[in-house]
Amino acid sequence: MASMLRSWMMLAALVLCLLVCWSSFADAYPPKPESPGSNGSPAEWAKYHAAVRHYVNLITRQRYGKRSTPEQKVAWLLFGGDSSQDTEPSSDYSDQW
């Protein structure tokens, strides 16, 4: 009985860890702009097209600089940022959305 309870607890902990990891990946991209619909005014459509253009530029922009290895990414996810290494990606566009 105790081993059965322990296996369920391990499964629940694994599922919880996976959910936490997946939620951190969900915030990686900005949300897609909402379409004003078929009844939108020309000003709303112009604003929408500007937002789509900005969204596409964010998604497809070149990323220059040092790339972290998979081991560094896992260590960052498990143990947090290390002040001696600059492996955390910086977001230049975080305040625009």
Side-chain angles (χ1 to χ4, degrees):
M1 180 72 175
S3 65
M4 180 94 158
L5 180 63
R6 188 179 335 165
S7 66
W8 280 106
M9 292 296 287
M10 292 296 285
L11 180 64
L14 178 66
V15 168
L16 181 66
C17 288
L18 286 174
L19 288 175
V20 168
C21 289
W22 283 338
S23 69
S24 67
F25 291 129
D27 296 332
Y29 288 104
K32 293 180 182 177
E34 293 291 325
S35 175
S38 60
N39 298 347
S41 69
E44 289 175 341
W45 278 105
K47 184 178 177 183
Y48 170 71
H49 286 294
V52 167
R53 204 170 27 254
H54 181 72
Y55 173 75
V56 169
N57 287 339
L58 284 176
I59 298 300
T60 61
R61 75 175 186 261
Q62 295 289 328
R63 288 162 177 85
Y64 300 104
K66 178 176 69 171
R67 301 282 178 154
S68 60
T69 63
E71 291 83 13
Q72 289 174 331
K73 290 180 185 176
V74 170
W76 183 80
L77 284 173
L78 292 176
F79 305 115
D82 186 3
S83 61
S84 65
Q85 295 180 349
D86 189 20
T87 60
E88 184 174 349
S90 62
S91 175
D92 298 335
Y93 302 102
S94 63
D95 58 338
Q96 292 182 359
W97 288 94

